Amino acid sequence: IAGLGVSKNGPNQTSDSEEAADAANPAETSLLMKIIRQGLVESKLDIEVQRKNPSSPLYSVKTFEALHLKPNLLKGVYAMGFNAPSKIQETALPTLLADPPQNMIAQSQSGTGKTAAFVLAMLSRIDPTKNYPQVLCLSPTYELAIQTGEVAAKMAKFCPEIKLKYAVRGEELPKGTKITDHILIGTPGKLLDWGIKFCMFDLSKIKVFVLDEADVMIDRQGHQDQCIRIHKCLPSTCQMMFFSATYDSALMEFAEIIVPNPIIIRLLREEESLDNIKQYYVKCKSPEDKYKAICNIYGVITIGQAIIFCHTRKTASWLSEKMSKDGHSVAVLSGELTVDQRIAVLDRFRAGLEKVLITTNVLSRGIDVEQVTLVVNFDMPMDLDKKADCETYLHRIGRTGRFGKAGIAINLIDSNQAMEICLDIEAHFGKKIKLLDIEDAEEIE
Ligand code: ADP
């Protein structure tokens, strides 16, 4: 695989003011979760399959051997440490590799093995004796394209004849270039330029078209139209693969334009629940008072690790300064950090180097740290209308079956508005949030 000199800049930093609440950016969140992931996310739930064309057979495999891959590709898969297909791969791979090719729409949460599945399919469809692009893979951002390319490079470790090129910003080709690489991975704009504007490759010769992170894609201005323009130039025989972590009607409308007669597979995520969580609220008069509440809690219970959610970066940094001065080892994760910095913070926290992680909303979902026993809402989660944001509350506090250990959640309430949010959340989930008398905090142990 062509080793492109790709620089590893993080995505553009946001310039939000410190006062503003940190909103999660889907492309960044997705990238971060990919990078910090430590292996597969598996689900106990069953896979759901929908066939538009009932005559197409459906298989599922339990081993990679059963897929009859080229030997060097199978070697690459094993070299990555994959012993058996993940749940989504069991069902997706036979379809993706079938002859005649079949179209697929697949949805499952991040970390369940989608990328590995379509990369394997892409690689196995290449005819390396033909020196022109045969596979197009569209990603929503530069960074996500590079991540996918790196998976392809690893998997094709023993297939040096397969060539890959990134079609991303910074990659410039002289006019009149004819691209000879087999796989192009890139963003829609660049692929549109190379394929349609400058005719550097022939879209009518593409055999496989992959749309990765489709939900992030349609979130980005203009990307959807660019995808559709590229898609229009593809031959009707081209195999279409469409992957997404979420599933809603806007996305499915887009999917139906891109993918005719698909097999649709979905792996539902295991729902987070509040079942094993003891929830409390503490009445406070001021931010200082909230800080005292945290200190009292620390005085009373033995805490493994804790995550504290604040609404703004300013609060987060104020709190971290105070806690550090008091001798707590504290890490801060907020929106002004680059992706690389966030990874470093999370790695240290995971390793237990800091006991407390103070964060804004940048990553309410995805911080699956098993050792965390306490979650504090320094500020209650609210939406743009300043109403209770129950979904975010669940992501912050809830645990999935996998991390089913008991936990404690404490909400610090310093206004009527915060109290109202707390009551709304309590009503929404039908789970009691008890008043905690901080002087008498023994009861929480
Ligand atoms: P997704 O695209 O759904 O986010 P990935 O394909 O990136 O998921 O896989 C998530 C993680 O699991 C990656 O670290 C990947 O290397 C690993 N992985 C993927 N498939 C397997 C497998 N069959 N066995 C073990 N690990 C796997």
Side-chain angles (χ1 to χ4, degrees), residues 34 37 39-40 64 80-86 89 108-117:
K34 267 185 204 274
R37 172 143 312 122
L40 272 173
F64 285 112
M80 291 175 83
F82 300 178
N83 298 319
S86 71
Q89 290 164 359
S108 64
Q109 79 181 86
S110 165
T112 47
K114 297 185 295 299
T115 306

Side-chain angles (χ1 to χ4, degrees), residues 422-437:
C422 189
L423 290 170
D424 284 349
I425 288 173
E426 182 176 48
H428 178 91
F429 293 107
K431 293 248 159 28
K432 188 83 191 143
I433 305 181
K434 284 203 243 167
L435 174 66
L436 180 66
D437 177 0

Side-chain angles (χ1 to χ4, degrees), residues 258-364:
I258 304 276
V259 194
N261 298 320
I263 288 185
I264 302 175
I265 62 176
R266 297 184 62 196
L267 181 62
L268 301 182
R269 70 156 58 231
E270 284 191 60
E271 287 307 322
E272 291 148 317
S273 100
L274 298 174
D275 285 350
N276 284 320
I277 316 291
K278 291 186 184 171
Q279 302 175 79
Y280 299 95
Y281 71 93
V282 181
K283 288 234 175 194
C284 306
K285 291 188 201 74
S286 62
E288 282 290 338
D289 217 24
K290 288 178 168 180
Y291 174 69
K292 264 188 228 146
I294 293 175
C295 295
N296 285 340
I297 294 161
Y298 266 92
V300 178
I301 59 172
T302 344
I303 293 163
Q305 277 180 297
I307 300 183
I308 304 179
F309 286 95
C310 301
H311 195 55
T312 66
R313 294 177 195 173
K314 201 173 172 184
T315 311
S317 70
W318 171 83
L319 181 63
S320 85
E321 236 167 74
K322 279 187 91 74
M323 290 191 75
S324 305
K325 272 192 196 142
D326 278 357
H328 293 281
S329 55
V330 178
V332 183
L333 185 75
S334 59
E336 80 276 17
L337 301 184
T338 63
V339 167
D340 285 344
Q341 288 168 327
R342 293 182 202 189
I343 293 161
V345 169
L346 282 171
D347 278 347
R348 288 177 58 87
F349 185 64
R350 276 231 173 96
L353 294 171
E354 275 100 15
K355 297 283 180 246
V356 183
L357 180 70
I358 300 177
T359 183
T360 49
N361 255 348
V362 281
L363 197 65
S364 59

Side-chain angles (χ1 to χ4, degrees), residues 35-220:
I35 298 175
I36 62 175
R37 172 143 312 122
Q38 309 181 320
L40 272 173
V41 172
E42 282 290 15
S43 160
K44 288 191 217 78
L45 299 174
D46 279 333
I47 209 153
E48 214 180 82
V49 182
Q50 228 178 305
R51 268 175 292 178
K52 290 283 155 98
N53 175 2
S55 67
S56 55
L58 189 74
Y59 306 101
S60 124
V61 289
K62 294 289 178 199
T63 65
F64 285 112
E65 279 88 11
L67 294 167
H68 307 294
L69 299 165
K70 291 172 197 157
N72 280 344
L73 210 44
L74 184 63
K75 221 168 128 185
V77 168
Y78 284 138
M80 291 175 83
F82 300 178
N83 298 319
S86 71
K87 201 155 193 168
I88 192 118
Q89 290 164 359
E90 286 180 0
T91 309
L93 281 170
T95 299
L96 293 177
L97 299 172
D99 272 311
Q102 294 191 356
N103 293 341
M104 169 167 285
I105 296 172
Q107 181 256 327
S108 64
Q109 79 181 86
S110 165
T112 47
K114 297 185 295 299
T115 306
F118 71 72
V119 165
L120 186 55
M122 284 172 18
L123 292 170
S124 57
R125 295 277 183 202
I126 296 293
D127 177 352
T129 64
K130 303 206 169 98
N131 291 326
Y132 55 79
Q134 299 158 37
V135 172
L136 276 193
C137 174
L138 270 57
S139 292
T141 65
Y142 171 100
E143 291 78 10
L144 289 165
I146 303 301
Q147 287 294 316
T148 302
E150 285 176 354
V151 175
K154 263 195 217 154
M155 208 176 269
K157 188 172 158 196
F158 303 102
C159 311
E161 67 285 4
I162 298 180
K163 304 288 180 210
L164 176 152
K165 193 178 223 38
Y166 292 111
V168 292
R169 77 173 126 83
E171 293 295 325
E172 301 304 335
L173 296 174
K175 273 224 173 77
T177 301
K178 287 280 170 233
I179 298 172
T180 56
D181 306 79
H182 306 110
I183 301 178
L184 293 176
I185 300 182
T187 47
K190 197 71 171 187
L191 282 166
L192 198 70
D193 279 356
W194 286 3
I196 297 176
K197 199 163 155 200
F198 301 125
C199 300
M200 291 174 173
F201 67 97
D202 187 351
L203 280 156
S204 71
K205 288 189 175 153
I206 298 296
K207 292 195 282 192
V208 175
F209 179 75
V210 180
L211 221 150
D212 187 22
E213 310 249 357
D215 46 350
V216 179
M217 193 78 90
I218 63 167
D219 215 59
R220 306 214 130 203

